[in-house]
Amino acid sequence: MARAAVLGRLSWRIATVVAIRDETPTARTLVLDVPGWPGHAAGQHVDVRLTAPDGYSTQRSYSIASAPDGERIELTVVVIPDGEVSPYLTEVLQKGDQLELRGPIGGWFVWLPGPDDPVFLVAGGSGLVPLMAMIRTRAAIGSQVPFRLAYSARDTGSLLYRDELEDRARDGLAVTYVFTRTAPPGAARPAGRIDASLLAEASWPPDCAPAVFVCGPTGFVEAAANLLVDMGHPPDRIKTERFGPSGGTSEETTGGSP
Ligand SMILES: Cc1cc2nc3c(=O)[nH]c(=O)nc-3n(C[C@H](O)[C@H](O)[C@H](O)COP(=O)(O)OP(=O)(O)OC[C@H]3O[C@@H](n4cnc5c(N)ncnc54)[C@H](O)[C@@H]3O)c2cc1C
């Protein structure tokens, strides 16, 4: 039974693009219908496989942005200039097109509704995507678990889900923004990288024992996780996922190799 479930997740499925939403000038969300989709937990990802007419094939991982919703999932892809796959997904793929994917993948970097522990989310760039699935899942089930988000982006123009985050903030999600290139007028702090004081303001103290999820580019994740450990958060409460160029590293606690 368990073997059949694993084989099901690892089988390639044909997904159809049923809608596309521009999130920023360089990012868009693909809404996909996936017949036979077994469901997913917030934080999991899929592998997407593209095959050229000459048979050349390549694959990349993309986090699921949406809360569980039957056979429909959403992916948000931020273009990497000169990348092999992301320009196709963000600039070429059209509504009605199909692509291959398999999943859901990953059982560790997930938020499962249940415990009442507060949740602190730390996102760098496209690392917001799986954390958004957690925020959306919390809203979808009407959970009252306290959530806080620290979100690092280059500038306001590169913020993903900007309007939705404002709506969620009105509903009690505490959001702290960090702008690395250009801070908007009136921002609480000048442009700069995430640091200990920002994390201390944005989160709960370690004795509140929040569950912490950190996701983004490898350097961002390592810096944020190290700061959190230095602040006294136990490594086994900090789950990380890296969107590094290799794509090889996926998920771990900070107790694993950096
Ligand atoms: C578990 C997991 C989940 C992911 N989820 C998402 C997601 O939800 N949304 C999303 O947009 N991306 C996500 N990624 C990243 C994604 O898998 C690809 O790495 C990314 O789209 C670039 O692929 P590409 O083929 O366009 O670039 P490539 O052709 O692979 O690389 C082109 C150049 O860009 C560099 N590069 C590649 N990836 C990155 C990166 N992430 N950051 C900076 N430089 C990079 C490479 O070193 C190379 O120099 C995820 C990665 C992992 C491992």
Side-chain angles (χ1 to χ4, degrees):
M1 197 68 178
R3 180 178 155 80
V6 170
L7 287 175
R9 288 201 306 276
L10 295 181
S11 302
W12 292 99
R13 300 172 195 275
I14 303 293
T16 302
V17 181
V18 295
I20 292 176
R21 283 199 307 273
D22 288 332
E23 300 289 353
T24 72
T26 56
R28 68 184 194 175
T29 291
L30 308 173
V31 183
L32 304 171
D33 263 354
V34 192
W37 181 250
H40 66 274
Q44 289 187 298
H45 66 275
V46 295
D47 287 341
V48 170
R49 180 166 71 181
L50 302 180
T51 304
D54 67 2
Y56 170 74
S57 174
T58 189
Q59 64 191 59
R60 298 287 185 279
S61 300
Y62 291 98
S63 299
I64 301 167
S66 46
D69 179 21
E71 295 187 334
R72 182 159 292 194
I73 63 168
E74 297 184 5
L75 310 179
T76 301
V77 182
V78 179
V79 72
I80 300 285
D82 303 325
E84 193 176 18
V85 170
S86 59
Y88 175 81
L89 296 177
T90 51
E91 294 158 11
V92 180
L93 198 70
Q94 298 293 320
K95 185 178 169 186
D97 288 349
Q98 294 187 318
L99 47 74
E100 285 183 292
L101 61 74
R102 66 180 176 187
I105 297 170
W108 182 245
F109 191 82
V110 294
W111 178 67
L112 297 172
D116 290 336
D117 300 340
V119 174
F120 181 43
L121 308 171
V122 185
S126 57
L128 180 62
V129 177
L131 308 184
M132 198 64 190
M134 298 178 190
I135 291 167
R136 288 169 166 164
T137 299
R138 171 183 177 270
I141 62 173
S143 166
Q144 297 301 312
V145 170
F147 266 43
R148 291 182 180 175
L149 167 68
Y151 178 19
S152 172
R154 288 183 180 178
D155 48 37
T156 53
S158 52
L159 288 174
L160 298 174
Y161 319 121
R162 190 174 175 178
D163 293 344
E164 185 178 346
L165 282 177
E166 281 179 17
D167 289 345
R168 305 267 182 219
R170 279 191 286 274
D171 290 342
L173 171 73
V175 185
T176 303
Y177 294 98
V178 191
F179 297 99
T180 55
R181 294 258 174 97
T182 311
R189 50 171 62 216
R193 293 183 182 279
I194 208 157
D195 60 21
S197 70
L198 182 286
L199 288 172
E201 279 169 33
S203 178
W204 289 272
D207 56 12
C208 291
V212 185
F213 295 87
V214 185
C215 187
T218 301
F220 173 89
V221 170
E222 289 178 2
N226 287 336
L227 287 166
L228 288 159
V229 171
D230 289 347
M231 290 162 64
H233 291 273
D236 65 0
R237 296 291 287 166
I238 305 171
K239 294 181 178 177
T240 62
E241 184 150 82
R242 298 149 195 236
F243 286 5
S246 74
T249 307
S250 190
E251 50 186 32
E252 59 190 36
T253 69
T254 56
S257 57

